[in-house]
Amino acid sequence: MSKYNPAKIEPKWQKIWRESGIYKDYSRKNKFYALDMFPYPSGAGLHVGHPKGYIATDVVSRFKMLKGYSVLHPMGWDAFGLPAENYAIQNKIHPEAAVKENIKTFKKQLGLFGFTYDWDREINTADPEYYKWTQWIFLKMFEKGLAYESDEPINWCPSCKTGLALEDLENGLCERCGTQVVQKKMRQWVLKMTEYADRLLEDLDKPSFAKASAGEEELDWEKSIMDQQKNWIGRSEGATIKFEIKLVPKTKSSERFLRLSLGKDWLEVFTTRLDTIFGCTYCVVGPEHPIIEKLKDKIKNYEEVEKYIIKAQNKTELERTDLQKDKTGVELQGVKAINPFNNEELPLYVADYVLGHYGTGAVMAVPAHDERDFEFAKKYKLPIKQVIAPDLDSYKKTIKTLEALKKLRQEARKEGIEFWLLGGLAGAFHAGIIYREHDDLDIIVKDEEQYQKIGGFLLGLGYKKIREKKVSEKLTNTIYRNDEGMEIDIGPYINQWDLKDKDFETDLKRLNESEALVLSKIFQIHLKEILRKNRIEEKDRIDLEYLKGKVFIEDGFLVNSGKYSGHPSAEAREKMTEWLEKKKIGGKKVNYKMRDWVFSRQRYWGEPIPIIHCEKCGTVGVPEKNLPVELPKVEKYEPTETGEGPLAGIKKWVDVKCPKCGGPGKRETNTMPQWAGSSWYHLRYIDPKNDKELVGKEKEKKWMPVDLYVGGAEHATRHLLYARFWHKFLYDIGSVSTKEPFEKLVHVGLIQGEDGRKMSKRWGNVINPDDVISEFGADSIRLYEMFMGPFTQNIAWSTKGVVGMRRFLEKVYRLKSKIQNPNIKTNPKSKIQNYKLDTVLHKTIKKVTEDIENFRFNTAISAMMILVNEMEKEEKISSTSYELLILLLSPFAPHIAEELWEKLGNKKSIFLEKWPEYDPKLIRDEQISLVIQINGKVRDQVEVAAGVKEEEVKKLALAQDKIVKYIDGKNIRKIIFVPDRLINFVI
RNA sequence: GGGCAUGUGGCGGAACUGGCAUACGCGUACGACUCAAAAUCGUAUGAGAGCAAUCUCGUGUGGGUUCAACUCCCACCAUGCCCACCA
């Protein structure tokens, strides 16, 4: 018999498949659309990591085909964009030529894997036939007011010489070249993605993916990717408040303040914590805020302010954010903001820790309950006023450690230290909880006399006496001093319910919980100290810091907040918002971190934006019939210094007639970003040659949504958000029938180099798939990449692992010689020749089927290996069994499967077969080995028939010598019997 | 700082809903075949103790629940990814 020779059989079958087009049966009833994230055809070619996702979709595609589906499995090229262009510039070839060349390489490489791609549907985003529709979508957005021009400062990469979207940055550096990005004010096109923010968010969770009419289904996306998107969209609900701006008169008068209303001058701020408004002690605007310019004449120290603003603007993104440096700012002297809730006059600052583009670009600062404000206030000696007291919920964490406290108490006793956990004076509530649960542990303090035991409490903690108790003025913290003179600050909130408060009972009723919780926190910390024999370790110092400096930023109960005092935060926010709305000085407001999509690039290699600027008519869309606006062929395509795209230099191309008035017009010379073409490509595959519509309605209805989308997790916040945005827009204008494009999304884990590092030229650890295929064959690499581990996990490459797969395939190949009678097929139902082997076989069918459906390819393959190992032990195997094995293997290793299938005498392709079903009767074992445990430990096992009764097993077990040895003379307290699994004797 | 993952032999990893931890593959050792090597096949392979039967320990650490925990609960540690002054 011939030897397994992949070098021969793989090209053979690839050719046959290509020519017969067996994958292109699109007439079946059920459809399955499997989509890969298409590659940029970069100059480097593929490394073994790239095809991992493609292999997975291919396995699933072939599986679905065998299951009787029509499968759409296309491939194409994301050819526009910076990487391709930079590559072209470096290699001094025209991007178009470079891309063409690279596509050829890529296509050849992909061809070696034997994928089921329908190359008739190949698309290329840089093809005018394709980008005609990218431009068309842009025009539609322009018509709907979703594409607009803006002059805001944007991120500019001085090296790539183009503007970038926020998403294209990595820590303030250009993602492509690592250059420091600067802020540059320039005209650009922006897509109003924020208009879709809520829908992009909601449709992740809500079952609104579905076709508008059909039954609803949920998005089957990985949680981590959904979380990343949610995080990126960053929705927060809050309120805006208008602070009136007043002047401080230049001359001091006997009146403390002469308020001069400026009439219309308001400062609007956004906050999610309106409940802390009474703690607002100053306001801050970002350096970009227009109010500064407006108040120019009124600000006494304008020069200083201006200097600060210029300095802030010159700071790079990195300096402004990356360094955990001191906060800086300058007071706008001469003006004050008035807190509408209590009419307090507050100083107004400009500081670059406030972002110009988020919310209203201005904030109310509450240093007692916001870390940033706290830091700033400390530095500029601004008052810090506490208005929130912690409530039970925010200290749930502390409560949960009570078990640990109990334990610690035991430990402490060993050290000869006795202590109690006491609820504080007002803490009876909380202590009550503890008391009820641990009545041996705690004492509830009920009255003032017992409060003295608070001393006892601290005493118990190793602090014999409270020597001093002082109240610091600023923070209104309570500070205790221990024997060693060490100050222990128990937080700014505790003294609100200090003993000296007259209305003890009221406090108790209203706010009791908080203090005790704080105390128990202290208690816990100090305990740790005792246990370390009064030596405070570094770790605990941090905990002490918590009580000293950490700002309480969580929700709680309001204090010092006028009539709102005593309300929980959430309730207070509602009431306060209502009040604002009534007074018409603010109200509910939702904000997003996500910004509109900066959509223009000052580069050559992208889709021209189909807009004409006319002096008379303004910006005019290119009429649909004139699409595509083709990218002119040019000699020079390098970016310019001016901030204008290279297209601006081509006068012949730029000068056109205005389609509206016929007068002179100029073309828009910016191009679209890399992500434009990929935002809708999933639709074009469905109908790639249609020159009337971007996708035909019938075909779209037939194929959408994409049933399976596989690609890298790095696209979680860009491509996947953009594509969803465009898809929703297309849904709104009636071009598509589904609200969401991708029903199931799986992210592929990286394949790292053999050294565990990212595969890259830089480390010299790149493995080329061509080499691996020529050495071991495509089926081996396919199998290996699916077998390495869980699909979504990053795993290092191992060529040794491929060797194992090759061995496995050779075993399968050799197994053929064991076939009893290769020419006569046996009916699996009538001729069960080997019950045990058939059991394994049917278990394998079950497992492989389920595992493919759940992307657990690694265990599917290991199940097949087990089956093969079993078959090897047999003298002879039936041809039926062997055929079933080949069928199971076929999605993973299609070439060898097809070859063996043919060798078995089959005339038609294996992929026209039916996927096997398992026989539920056969997957049950006849004999099982049942485990006998004594006190949960395995001591013996017995072979029994499946389904035996407890009584029988018990009898049998007690007859075993080993078991007798253990049980002899002891009382059997309990017997646990798990059918077909184990019996456990508790003695 | 926030969010999300992950932690099991020498390595990649398996274990369904709590029920024999380490399947499957790699590596290693020994053996068979061979003049020899490769390939292939067989046996062994978590750690420790013992001549042995066998026993003890063992899924990042410390606790807990349970007849029984990789799996559930609490606390902690470590690593990775993403986001990061978003008020």
Side-chain angles (χ1 to χ4, degrees), chain A residues 28 41 70 204 243 374 388 505 521 582 585 614 629 735 743 750 830 847 870 881 917 920 936 951:
Chain A
R28 299 178 186 181
S70 277
L204 285 173
F243 282 64
F374 179 74
I388 303 290
E505 281 302 315
K521 179 83 189 168
K582 215 169 79 194
I585 49 166
C614 168
V629 176
S735 290
E743 180 175 1
L750 283 181
S830 62
K847 179 128 185 78
E870 284 301 320
S881 309
E917 303 267 342
E951 270 311 302

Side-chain angles (χ1 to χ4, degrees), chain A residues 46 70 380 441 538 544 579 773 809 857 936:
Chain A
L46 292 171
S70 277
Y380 291 100
L441 187 64
E538 215 42 54
L544 286 169
W579 185 82
I773 289 174
L809 290 178
F857 306 114

Side-chain angles (χ1 to χ4, degrees), chain A residues 42 61 156 247 270 352 404 468 495 564 578 591 652 784 888:
Chain A
S42 77
S61 294
W156 172 263
L247 278 191
F270 172 75
D352 65 6
E468 258 177 82
N495 68 322
Y564 298 98
E578 272 168 34
N591 254 323
K652 247 168 88 187
Y784 173 63
L888 291 180

Side-chain angles (χ1 to χ4, degrees), chain A residues 525-697:
Chain A
I525 288 157
H526 288 239
L527 262 180
K528 275 194 198 161
E529 257 174 74
I530 300 161
L531 293 175
R532 298 203 162 102
K533 303 193 176 146
N534 294 328
R535 209 184 80 237
I536 301 175
E537 288 182 2
E538 215 42 54
K539 259 195 280 174
D540 302 317
R541 227 181 272 267
I542 293 160
D543 279 349
L544 286 169
E545 282 303 313
Y546 173 85
L547 292 166
K548 251 190 226 167
K550 198 160 176 200
V551 185
F552 182 76
I553 57 166
E554 286 152 72
D555 274 10
F557 287 97
L558 273 71
V559 294
N560 289 333
S561 299
K563 64 173 182 174
Y564 298 98
S565 292
H567 290 289
S569 291
E571 201 181 298
R573 278 197 289 272
E574 253 171 60
K575 287 212 162 81
M576 287 169 156
T577 312
E578 272 168 34
W579 185 82
L580 282 174
E581 278 164 0
K582 215 169 79 194
K583 286 262 176 183
K584 296 203 165 68
I585 49 166
K588 202 172 157 181
K589 171 91 205 259
V590 174
N591 254 323
Y592 303 92
K593 281 202 240 178
M594 184 178 81
R595 290 199 254 165
D596 282 340
W597 181 7
V598 177
F599 197 67
S600 41
R601 298 291 180 273
Q602 292 69 43
R603 298 285 297 228
Y604 171 74
W605 192 236
E607 302 88 344
I609 292 177
I611 291 285
I612 291 164
H613 298 273
C614 168
E615 258 177 53
K616 228 159 83 196
C617 314
T619 48
V620 182
V622 171
E624 230 178 286
K625 62 177 187 339
N626 294 347
L627 293 181
V629 176
E630 281 199 47
L631 194 57
K633 304 237 187 306
V634 289
E635 294 296 312
K636 242 187 80 200
Y637 48 85
E638 275 87 359
T640 63
E641 297 293 337
T642 58
E644 270 195 289
L647 293 177
I650 311 166
K651 218 175 161 300
K652 247 168 88 187
W653 185 80
V654 173
D655 290 330
V656 284
K657 274 187 189 158
C658 168
K660 242 189 196 162
C661 67
K666 283 186 185 305
R667 285 196 192 278
E668 170 65 54
T669 56
N670 282 333
T671 52
M672 298 187 196
Q674 162 137 52
W675 310 102
S678 59
S679 294
W680 69 281
Y681 76 121
H682 54 278
L683 295 169
R684 192 60 181 173
Y685 283 130
I686 293 171
D687 196 3
K689 309 249 154 70
N690 192 333
D691 59 358
K692 302 272 175 319
E693 292 173 281
L694 63 92
V695 57
K697 293 242 166 3

